[in-house]
Amino acid sequence: MIRAVVFDVGECLVNETREYGTWADWLGVPRHTFAAMFGAVIAQGRDYRETFQEFQPGFDLSEERERRAAAGKPEWFGEDDLYADVRPSLTALREAGLWVGIAGNQTVRAGGLLRGLDLPSDLIATSDDWGASKPDVAFFQHVIEATPAEPAEILYVGDRLDNDIRPAVQAGLLTALIRRGPWGTIQQRDPEADAITTMRIDSLAELPEKIAKFNAGER
């Protein structure tokens, strides 16, 4: 039985198009050029942070976040950056009696922004809160400790095979891979996208029915 659903943040709940566009602006790079390099780096299996190095060698993301904040241009997202299916889907899952959590690789500031959105959830936590970041399995151990369910009763929903699905499976969780955003699109044809995931979705709106069927034994 799936008793709890925990969601990744970036490109699962939050559309990061605007945020990465502001990074391109900060670097003084045309947005379409930055986006093209971002996709190329992901397709090559590299860390997305190497995108910044391509335009500014020695770039330190943490330091630049601080510089942006000091310049009055901090990282930010709001209601308009949520995917349209987020609120109705999270609401439907809670109404179905499922425990709903949100946990991703986010800064303390991003965690505050998430909590300010008052999303229908029972938990909001970030990697900075826990001192562990995906794909470290320790992150998912924190998920397990924070969730009132056994590992095999927790469905983790994410857009990345490398950061979300593989380590969640290693920790003993069930998984749902959503196809959207750069990673979800580029990695969709990886054989593991079918082999190791519990379910694949194109929209969060599919989850209530898919979970109901899973719990009814219709695999």
Side-chain angles (χ1 to χ4, degrees):
M1 291 282 289
I2 295 172
R3 302 184 187 278
V5 186
V6 181
F7 294 88
D8 176 37
V9 179
E11 294 307 330
C12 184
L13 304 182
V14 176
N15 184 333
E16 297 178 308
T17 299
R18 186 195 55 75
E19 177 63 11
Y20 282 118
T22 64
W23 275 114
D25 298 343
W26 182 254
L27 290 167
V29 176
R31 290 189 173 198
H32 71 283
T33 302
F34 183 88
M37 180 57 71
F38 194 93
V41 166
I42 293 171
Q44 292 164 13
R46 297 158 61 192
D47 189 309
Y48 80 96
R49 288 169 290 194
E50 294 183 38
T51 305
F52 299 93
Q53 302 290 334
E54 295 288 343
F55 299 108
Q56 185 177 309
F59 183 96
D60 185 297
L61 185 56
S62 296
E63 290 181 3
E64 292 297 321
R65 282 195 178 114
E66 294 298 323
R67 289 186 60 201
R68 281 187 58 173
K73 299 179 179 179
E75 62 175 330
W76 185 87
F77 56 82
E79 186 70 31
D80 290 345
D81 297 298
L82 293 176
Y83 280 103
D85 56 8
V86 173
R87 285 194 182 278
S89 299
L90 269 60
T91 298
L93 291 170
R94 295 186 87 191
E95 289 177 347
L98 293 157
W99 188 92
V100 174
I102 298 171
N105 279 357
Q106 303 290 327
T107 63
V108 170
R109 175 180 174 78
L113 294 172
L114 276 170
R115 294 180 181 98
L117 291 172
D118 194 26
L119 292 167
S121 62
D122 299 291
L123 169 78
I124 294 178
T126 71
S127 53
D128 271 10
D129 295 333
W130 287 336
S133 301
K134 297 179 293 182
D136 191 334
V137 174
F139 175 93
F140 293 95
Q141 292 300 327
H142 282 288
V143 170
I144 293 167
E145 291 169 6
T147 305
E150 295 301 313
E153 298 173 332
I154 303 169
L155 181 74
Y156 191 79
V157 185
D159 65 300
R160 296 180 57 173
L161 279 170
D162 52 345
N163 252 34
D164 301 325
I165 304 304
R166 291 187 188 117
V169 170
Q170 187 177 348
L173 275 60
L174 303 175
T175 58
L177 178 65
I178 187 166
R179 182 174 63 177
R180 65 181 173 202
W183 286 275
T185 302
I186 291 170
Q187 297 177 346
Q188 65 172 302
R189 293 185 177 85
D190 187 302
E192 282 194 324
D194 286 317
I196 68 172
T197 56
T198 306
M199 60 184 72
R200 297 185 65 181
I201 56 175
D202 293 316
S203 167
L204 299 182
E206 300 172 34
L207 283 173
E209 182 178 357
K210 282 185 174 287
I211 291 172
K213 287 183 177 180
F214 181 93
N215 286 347
E218 299 176 29
R219 310 292 168 83

